[in-house]
Amino acid sequence: MTQEQADWFAGAFAQLVANVDKAILGKEHSIRLVITAMLSGGHVLLEDVPGTGKTVLAKALANTIEGTQSRIQFTPDLLPSDVTGVTIYDQSSGRFEFHPGPIFASVVLADEINRASPKTQSALLEVMEEGVVTVDGVGHPVGTPFVVIATQNPVEQAGTYSLPEAQLDRFLIKTSLGYPDHATTVDLLLDSSNRSRASSVRPIIAADSVSTLAQLASEVHTDASVMGYLSEIVTATRDDRDAALGVSIRGALALARAAKTWAIAAGRTFVTPDDVRDLAQPVLAHRVIVDPESEFAGVTATDIVERAVASANPPAYRAA
């Protein structure tokens, strides 16, 4: 990893953020998190109230990449085969042929994922972890890049199925957009005739280049002292008095990968404790299960991660 490569990556990352920002105004931090997840080989869960632009963000990112994209509207009657695909007997050839489902795309928008049954949600477990769909005993790779951007509404819970811990653990980052500030709201209102802001976003990067960026991010230097700091944070979530379940090793690995991408996006060839601290909440909080009694008392997963970060001792770090 050279400084020139880091500078090139940072420039490309900034262009991706600026392109998506054409559709989602004033949400640069959330956009950076989503792109970080994509370039770290992970998936994103967008949880927010209706009308804040979750779907627009996912579509804008898909349009930014010159690859394939699909949208799955999750409903209670959606079947697993509607997501993964199905094997059908072809009479003309006398053999079974696999017809891929919408999960076979570079960017997959899983809209309102918590409206589908647990059986259908489970159809995503294998492909989100391994990038392979197994149908009738045969594995079908989805290719690279591959990112699932799922949305869910935390307010209207009637007729929804909460994502189980195993499903939540597959998402590298969970974030939200929130309402725009006053100035951004005025800009959006002035452009109210534009009903499809995401469609105005044009591709600026090829799918192969996304894989190149992801590979470059994986080569960022990580010092053992920084990974020790990360491990302390993860262990603290497990030992917290209010935690029924702390962060798994999958969560720790996810934070390590994301920290590398976050570092090189800032033009650095090495990870610092600040990179770990900046990403602790979006990468770890949704993996923490709060004890029911503590939750009733008002304790949140965010509180537990905050305490874990505060209790860990960051190393005095310098670049190798």
Side-chain angles (χ1 to χ4, degrees):
M1 171 67 64
T2 65
Q3 187 58 51
E4 290 75 14
Q5 289 175 312
D7 292 340
W8 174 80
F9 185 104
F13 190 94
Q15 290 180 14
L16 291 172
V17 172
N19 202 54
V20 176
D21 190 57
K22 295 176 182 177
I24 301 292
L25 302 180
K27 297 298 177 182
E28 181 179 338
H29 182 68
S30 297
I31 295 171
R32 290 178 64 87
L33 287 175
V34 172
I35 295 176
T36 294
M38 179 183 69
L39 298 180
S40 303
H43 310 284
V44 182
L45 179 61
L46 296 175
E47 183 179 81
D48 216 328
V49 295
T52 53
K54 300 185 296 295
T55 303
V56 176
L57 172 56
K59 284 185 175 181
L61 179 62
N63 290 344
T64 296
I65 303 171
E66 198 172 10
T68 55
Q69 57 178 285
S70 65
R71 174 177 178 173
I72 308 172
Q73 186 65 50
F74 280 71
T75 56
D77 59 347
L78 193 72
L79 299 175
S81 58
D82 295 329
V83 176
T84 60
V86 65
T87 301
I88 299 176
Y89 182 72
D90 187 347
Q91 291 184 343
S92 61
S93 63
R95 61 187 181 187
F96 287 93
E97 292 186 357
F98 176 66
H99 292 249
I103 197 65
F104 286 83
S106 302
V107 179
V108 179
L109 170 58
D111 211 5
E112 295 190 284
I113 189 174
N114 57 333
R115 295 216 171 270
S117 67
K119 183 177 182 180
T120 301
Q121 290 179 13
S122 67
L124 294 172
L125 289 175
E126 179 188 27
V127 67
M128 288 177 67
E129 182 68 18
E130 303 175 17
V132 174
V133 172
T134 302
V135 177
D136 295 331
V138 180
H140 305 275
V142 295
T144 55
F146 171 67
V147 57
V148 174
I149 302 177
T151 70
Q152 68 175 4
N153 174 12
V155 177
E156 188 183 355
Q157 293 297 313
T160 63
Y161 302 86
S162 299
L163 297 180
E165 289 78 7
Q167 183 78 59
L168 286 171
D169 213 20
R170 259 64 175 188
F171 290 100
L172 189 145
I173 280 177
K174 177 183 176 183
T175 187
S176 61
L177 295 175
Y179 293 115
D181 58 29
H182 175 72
T184 303
T185 300
V186 171
D187 290 339
L188 290 170
L189 293 175
L190 291 173
D191 193 31
S192 60
S193 59
N194 185 358
R195 298 179 62 87
S196 182
R197 299 184 63 87
S199 62
S200 63
V201 175
R202 295 289 179 258
I204 64 170
I205 188 172
D208 292 343
S209 298
V210 174
S211 299
T212 300
L213 288 170
Q215 177 60 37
L216 194 58
S218 69
E219 298 173 3
V220 172
H221 173 72
T222 52
D223 191 79
S225 62
V226 178
M227 291 300 98
Y229 173 60
L230 189 156
S231 179
E232 282 187 38
I233 294 174
V234 169
T235 302
T237 66
R238 301 169 187 162
D239 297 338
D240 192 281
R241 63 184 181 278
D242 294 317
L245 182 67
V247 176
S248 68
I249 189 62
R250 181 190 286 124
L253 291 169
L255 181 53
R257 294 198 307 269
K260 288 184 176 184
T261 305
W262 198 256
I264 193 173
R268 281 183 278 102
T269 61
F270 55 92
V271 177
T272 69
D274 286 340
D275 298 321
V276 175
R277 186 163 45 244
D278 290 346
L279 293 173
Q281 284 293 347
V283 175
L284 302 182
H286 64 284
R287 306 171 194 270
V288 175
I289 306 301
V290 183
D291 181 82
E293 291 187 5
S294 299
E295 187 175 17
F296 182 76
V299 178
T300 65
T302 299
D303 296 330
I304 293 175
V305 174
E306 284 182 354
R307 290 202 294 255
V309 172
S311 66
N313 296 314
Y317 181 77
R318 59 185 179 83

